Amino acid sequence: MAREYPIENVRNIGIAAHIDAGKTTTTERILFYTGKKHKIGAVDDGTAEMDWMVQERERGVTITAAATTCFWRDHAIHLIDTPGHVDFTVEVERSLRVLDGAIALFCAVGGVEPQSETVWHQAERYNVPRIVFVNKMDRVGANYDRALEMMKERLGANPLPLQLPIGEGSDFAGVIDLITEKAIRWEEADQGQTFVETQIPPEFQEAVEQARETLFESIAVEDEALLEKYLGGEEITRDELLQAIRVTTLNGTLVPVLCGSSLKNQGVQPLLDAVIDFLPSPIDVPPIEGTVQHPVAKSGRSKRKADAADPEDKVTRPADDTAPLAALAFKVASHPTVDKLVYCRVYSGTLKRGEAIYNVRSEKRERVNRILQMHANKEAVSDAAYAGDIVALVGLKDTKTGDTVTGTKEPILLEPITFPEPVISIAIEPERASDADALEETLEKLMDEDPTFTVGIDKESGQRIISGMGELHLEILTDRMVREFGVNARVSKLQVAYRETISTLAEARGTHIHKTDEEGIYGDVLLTVEPLERGEGFLFEDNTDETQIPRQYIPAIEKTLEGAMGTGPRIGYPMQDVKVTLTGGSYHPTDSSEVAFEAAATLAFENAVRKANPLLLEPIMQIHITVPDEHVGKVIGDLNSRRAQINESTTQDTSNAGGGPQSVRSTINAVIPLSETFQYTTQLRSMTQGRGTFTLEFSHYEVVPESLAPGANPIASV
């Protein structure tokens, strides 16, 4: 067995952007021009290949990241089309974690929109090199220069335009390639499969000369050899220029920018060329780093007086087929004929069909029954997966999202994927007693698939509480329960996922001391609690010594205290942003045990947080609203009544030739409590005659005003 394409000819890329920027439409064109499919699908009529879920085709939005492989210029492109709606940010997060490069898609009218910023910073966090495609150049109000400026202002990026548009809006007729100095126009008759290169129109000659000057200056600054040639007036060849752009793209100093209209079949082939020319292969990115786990692991949150040597050794795995196997499971999906599919990125080594693998988290061995190359929800069987491949595996029953999969020898643990906490909840129960088991099984499957979907139990009512990232998120999941899994369930109103914290420092002691004829129980803990900054979570510090509490009990105490954060003192919501310092205690040589100290720590924590002036926190969302200018006053007035804080309001005239009336639109950026946004879609439509749109994204937690704090119901309904 050997790989079909050399690893340097592999590209693992994703397309990410704000909702409605045209990601799926662009993906459809990529599949068409690379020969992967023979007919272009459309989002609006539900025929987009990568939007294969029923809910995606009905709503015209991408919900789940879909993977496919296509081929261009003798290169294999593993492509992931990710959702743009913030409720499904988990799909973007886990996709970027395993990708080597990305296409950031911006709408030429909206420019850098809020979700565009989110995915850009997600890519930055994972050091994913990007190229930009400014789409929808044919739309009324398209403005290429404004999109470039917004990249600088909002993203802090250094855009490098490689093309200029030939006209904008209804006048858009193609692009000018600044490297070849040719105008490119696409044929409408064959859906843009053929295009012609012509001389630059005279009216664009001056703009092209200025843009090329800027291009050479930007590149020369980053490359000393080219700088010398440039200053010396020597010619810089096309190959030298392409190589220099590639280097600056990989190190993140410059971001190549192209433009076009995917819907009108213009500009996609040069975008594919840019993927090959500028985005990295698996060997162009640093080797994946992991840790070799030793028997005794140190808690990452603890700060103790006498830490032992770090029991974890950092190691790297090169993108090499002959290296030890290291792969990351980044997605779990239900499947109609097998138990489930586990999507994996293979970072190093070779995985063969029928081979046994080792799950580092569960410390279990599993067997790979089949290896599948995915195309949306279709698959092709492979005999092996190689370094750099993205594949779906069948047979891994105990593998979850974020797990590391290795060979049975030389296992390492890769950094797991981190996911945001859910902010919205509903209660759910089976319609009939006979549906209970099916509901439980379905919830387990959905949690396996989606780490931002959680299930809990309301301690007072005994109801199951499901939580997610937003209204649409939970709506899709409950719809899937009925259609996909055939489960009949009743759901309650939407509820806010509140949190609790403390506002002052407090000290308390907890003792668990009992004496019977047969045995004694002795645990004594003294601790303090104090508030942390928002978003810091939980921190444990041990300031005791061996004479107060023996070292072997400290890990159990810390684990117990972290578990106690799950129930706050006010209403019972999970706690956050609390530091616990172990300051004292005592023990008995024979009667002390882990169980005794766990019980004592729980009592001490509960006593301390009750004295520390506990507060209720509510999730605050960033809201971005776009409305016709004539409705701005009404919308802002409504936002003020919802406790929103307006950060910015801007007006944009989207008129151009053929723009027509009412083309002035305003955007409003604000923060607003989540509890004030339920059913906002309907209300915004009513206020703006159906022409307003908005997006929501979690920002942070803030203290709930006492006058608005919910009562003593563990899950407060709004």
Side-chain angles (χ1 to χ4, degrees), residues 233-273:
E234 295 181 54
E235 181 187 356
I236 297 175
T237 67
R238 180 175 182 274
D239 288 343
E240 287 175 328
L241 192 56
L242 291 177
Q243 178 59 26
I245 296 171
R246 180 177 180 79
V247 170
T248 56
T249 305
L250 298 188
N251 64 29
T253 53
L254 296 173
V255 182
V257 182
L258 300 91
C259 62
S261 169
S262 296
L263 185 64
K264 300 292 186 182
N265 310 312
Q266 297 173 310
V268 177
Q269 293 96 330
L271 177 63
L272 282 165
D273 287 335

Side-chain angles (χ1 to χ4, degrees), residues 71-356:
F71 304 93
W72 186 255
R73 282 173 41 190
D74 292 325
H75 285 67
I77 301 174
H78 302 308
L79 175 65
I80 296 182
D81 173 28
T82 63
H85 198 289
V86 71
D87 279 16
F88 308 106
T89 189
V90 60
E91 296 289 336
V92 183
E93 186 77 29
R94 59 180 163 197
S95 298
L96 287 171
R97 171 67 172 81
V98 300
L99 294 173
D100 299 323
I103 300 171
L105 214 65
F106 298 151
C107 170
V109 179
V112 179
E113 297 170 281
Q115 185 65 3
S116 305
E117 292 185 59
T118 299
V119 298
W120 188 271
H121 295 312
Q122 283 174 312
E124 278 186 335
R125 190 163 66 248
Y126 292 120
N127 296 316
V128 176
R130 280 138 284 165
I131 59 177
V132 166
F133 184 65
V134 179
N135 192 27
K136 301 191 177 185
M137 286 302 308
D138 61 309
R139 285 273 304 275
V140 171
N143 190 320
Y144 186 59
D145 289 338
R146 186 178 66 244
L148 295 172
E149 284 304 312
M150 292 177 78
M151 285 182 64
K152 297 175 187 176
E153 293 170 7
R154 297 194 176 180
L155 305 177
N158 194 359
L160 183 71
L162 302 184
Q163 295 176 341
L164 294 182
I166 302 175
E168 293 177 335
S170 57
D171 296 330
F172 179 67
V175 302
I176 297 170
D177 188 317
L178 296 177
I179 296 176
T180 61
E181 293 186 272
K182 295 289 185 182
I184 308 173
R185 301 176 190 267
W186 280 264
E187 297 289 343
E188 292 184 17
D190 62 359
Q191 296 182 297
Q193 290 184 79
T194 58
F195 51 89
V196 292
E197 292 186 346
T198 61
Q199 296 301 311
I200 297 169
E203 64 269 28
F204 289 97
Q205 194 64 51
E206 185 179 344
V208 168
E209 289 174 5
Q210 290 178 355
R212 272 178 60 85
E213 192 78 13
T214 302
L215 171 66
F216 284 115
E217 287 175 359
S218 300
I219 288 296
V221 168
E222 303 295 333
D223 187 308
E224 288 188 12
L226 289 188
L227 181 60
E228 286 185 17
K229 292 187 73 172
Y230 178 74
L231 294 176
E234 295 181 54
E235 181 187 356
I236 297 175
T237 67
R238 180 175 182 274
D239 288 343
E240 287 175 328
L241 192 56
L242 291 177
Q243 178 59 26
I245 296 171
R246 180 177 180 79
V247 170
T248 56
T249 305
L250 298 188
N251 64 29
T253 53
L254 296 173
V255 182
V257 182
L258 300 91
C259 62
S261 169
S262 296
L263 185 64
K264 300 292 186 182
N265 310 312
Q266 297 173 310
V268 177
Q269 293 96 330
L271 177 63
L272 282 165
D273 287 335
V275 167
I276 304 305
D277 291 334
F278 308 131
L279 290 181
S281 75
I283 58 174
D284 292 320
V285 297
I288 192 70
E289 186 178 77
T291 55
V292 177
Q293 301 292 293
H294 295 289
V296 180
K298 179 183 69 177
S299 168
R301 286 178 298 275
S302 296
K303 293 194 296 183
R304 302 184 185 138
K305 280 188 172 180
D307 279 334
D310 191 340
E312 299 177 353
D313 295 331
K314 296 284 186 184
V315 293
T316 58
R317 291 280 190 265
D320 186 334
D321 298 343
T322 62
L325 176 66
L328 185 74
F330 68 95
K331 180 181 172 73
V332 175
S334 298
H335 192 276
T337 60
V338 298
D339 184 44
K340 65 181 181 183
L341 295 177
V342 178
Y343 286 79
C344 285
R345 160 69 191 266
V346 181
Y347 285 100
S348 66
T350 301
L351 176 63
K352 299 176 183 176
R353 181 164 53 90
E355 196 170 33

